């Protein structure tokens, strides 16, 4: 039995990425690096228990599976981001 589930999304649609970085990094600068002039919004989510890390929800309009995955990869490889969901 195949266990992989493929998302069935209708594009364009809004998509949320959860980005986790150290508290001293500026998430707005990071998002500008990744999204350039692409419209996006940032909402602070949580701080880690010790306050070292912050998570943020970044929302943007994606136009295809490739577009959605490409943004994920760009966020993931950014030097200031520790983890992306």
């Amino acid at each position: 039995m195949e266990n992989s589930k493929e998302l069935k999304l209708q594009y364009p649609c809004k998509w949320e990425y959860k980005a986790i970085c150290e508290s001293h990094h500026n998430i707005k600068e990071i998002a500008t690096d990744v999204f350039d002039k692409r419209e996006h919004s940032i909402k602070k989510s949580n701080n880690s228990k010790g306050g070292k890390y912050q998570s943020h929800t970044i929302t943007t309009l994606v136009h295809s599976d490739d577009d959605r995955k490409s943004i994920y990869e760009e966020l993931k490889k950014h030097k200031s981001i520790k983890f992306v969901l």
Side-chain angles (χ1 to χ4, degrees):
M1 185 191 265
E2 193 171 317
N3 200 15
S4 66
K5 293 181 182 180
E6 192 173 320
L7 288 176
K8 301 287 186 198
L9 300 173
Q10 287 198 317
Y11 293 101
C13 67
K14 288 194 175 195
W15 192 258
E16 292 183 346
Y17 301 90
K18 181 80 70 171
I20 300 164
C21 61
E22 290 185 18
S23 298
H24 68 274
H25 290 293
N26 185 328
I27 191 65
K28 290 180 183 179
E29 289 177 9
I30 294 168
T32 299
D33 288 349
V34 174
F35 291 93
D36 193 27
K37 294 180 186 196
R38 184 181 198 139
E39 191 174 319
H40 63 279
S41 64
I42 303 168
K43 182 180 170 194
K44 186 175 176 186
S45 298
N46 293 311
N47 286 332
S48 63
K49 194 172 187 175
K52 184 175 180 179
Y53 297 99
Q54 291 181 341
S55 63
H56 304 271
T57 302
I58 306 171
T59 305
T60 193
L61 187 68
V62 293
H63 300 280
S64 67
D65 277 336
D66 288 341
D67 188 31
R68 179 177 55 82
K69 291 173 185 175
S70 173
I71 294 168
Y72 171 81
E73 291 300 324
E74 288 297 314
L75 286 167
K76 192 170 133 180
K77 75 179 185 183
H78 193 282
K79 66 183 188 301
S80 297
I81 294 182
K82 296 293 181 190
F83 198 75
V84 180
L85 300 172

